[in-house]
Amino acid sequence: MKISLQIKSKRERLNMTQKEFADALGMGKNGDRTIRRWENEETEPSPIELQAILNFPEEPPFPAPENPKFKMIDLFAGIGGIRLAFQNQGGKSVFASEWDKFACKTYRANFGEVPEGDITLIDVNSIPEHDILLAGFPCQPFSQAGLRKGFEDTRGTLFFHIAKILETKRPKAFLLENVKQLRGHNKGQTLEKIKQVLDELGYTLHIKVLRAADFGVPQNRERIFIVGFHNSINGPEIPFQFPKPTNIQTRVGSILEEKVNEKYTISDRLYQGHLRRKEEHKKKGNGFGFSLFNADSPYTNTISARYYKDGSEILIEQKGNNPRKLTPKECARLQGFPKEFIIPVSDTQAYRQFGNSVTVPVVELIAKNMVSVIEPYLQSERNKLEVLN
């Protein structure tokens, strides 16, 4: 087969555009043009480049386990960070929901499954039975008016759909993840409403803010985690505890790549703008502005979904040059994703996806503790199924 056809057929099997394939291969700024020329037989890749293309994995690196310990569903799934953490503890996802088409592309490349779309349009009864519900849900204010109404007062919010699934399917446990600011959102009423509803649905709750840098990940990222166990499995007696900080010393150099394309170095114009704004903030007596880090920094700021705009929250120092942004692969490492994780989208989308995702090692420690305390109930159900079969 012609080299041009080998490249094109490979790309089409992966369901990627030329731009996405170039980004996934880690090619430079005009990588899509290069692939277009290769496919049009205007030029040819070097033997090393061709080998990289042909060796690009077509099978998802993180398939569901064949003999799972438990079943889970993955709501507001994003690129599957929470799923990955629980899958590493023996879980099998039986349903996932995510509306963003680019996040779904990344999810498919890594797990071999395409999530269902908008959760608000999905019939709750069509969702399979499961043991654990997972959701990194958006934060929305509830109505100021019916704070005594409980469940009904959450209508019109995305949390309502989580609550509806919990009410209908009654999984043994759940994990909800959100920004730390949920605690003070809407003057604290949002979190109080969530707690009230989950209590009404028969769950015993554990709530805590955890920081990634306390668990060996070099990022100052704080997130609130809400864990619940259904009272039908003695929820109040479940001996769950959030993981204790590992206090492993962190260093930004552990996530940095050795060689980085020059396209990640910010322009003179952008850098001068950063310096000017930082000076203006300094004169006003506040500490806002861009943040510089290097390999010896203990950790970075929190990476956000807006990182693609100018990268100002995390810029890496470069001797004799302007600072640079993190690469998408470095963002993946900063969130604790394994090196095998495939990034099949543009840099812009990748920054959004990792900024919106979770720090996988932190969630995996929570998952480990959750699974260990409900293991007796999971084993009991497995025994019953074996008797019936």
Side-chain angles (χ1 to χ4, degrees), residues 51 53 275 281:
Q51 200 62 42
I53 291 167
L275 290 170
H281 284 303

Side-chain angles (χ1 to χ4, degrees), residues 172-187:
K172 295 176 184 63
F174 64 75
L175 170 70
L176 308 182
E177 179 267 353
N178 213 304
V179 295
K180 182 182 76 166
Q181 288 79 3
L182 177 65
R183 291 186 302 186
H185 191 258
N186 199 21
K187 298 180 180 178

Side-chain angles (χ1 to χ4, degrees), residues 19-20 23-24 102-103 105-106 343-347 349-350 353:
K19 178 80 171 74
E20 289 167 345
D23 286 325
F102 296 105
K105 189 178 281 283
T106 301
I343 306 173
V345 293
S346 69
D347 286 1
Q349 292 299 331
Q353 291 174 6

Side-chain angles (χ1 to χ4, degrees), residues 86 130-135 159 162 166 171-177 194 198-199 201-206 225-230 366 370 374:
F86 276 80
H130 53 281
D131 301 299
I132 303 178
L133 177 149
L134 310 172
F159 175 74
I162 296 173
L166 291 172
K172 295 176 184 63
F174 64 75
L175 170 70
L176 308 182
E177 179 267 353
I194 288 171
L198 296 173
D199 180 68
L201 293 175
Y203 286 90
T204 297
L205 305 181
H206 303 262
F225 295 95
I226 306 173
V227 172
F229 298 96
H230 201 272
I366 299 171
M370 288 179 67
I374 64 170

Side-chain angles (χ1 to χ4, degrees), residues 214-260:
D214 294 331
F215 296 90
V217 181
Q219 183 186 177
N220 189 31
R221 187 185 192 87
E222 293 181 294
R223 287 294 183 267
I224 190 168
F225 295 95
I226 306 173
V227 172
F229 298 96
H230 201 272
N231 294 336
S232 63
I233 61 165
N234 296 325
E237 306 301 319
I238 294 282
F240 172 79
Q241 288 188 328
F242 279 101
K244 300 280 193 298
T246 60
N247 294 319
I248 296 170
Q249 195 166 16
T250 58
R251 183 173 174 272
V252 172
S254 67
I255 63 101
L256 298 180
E257 296 186 79
E258 287 186 16
K259 291 184 179 179
V260 174

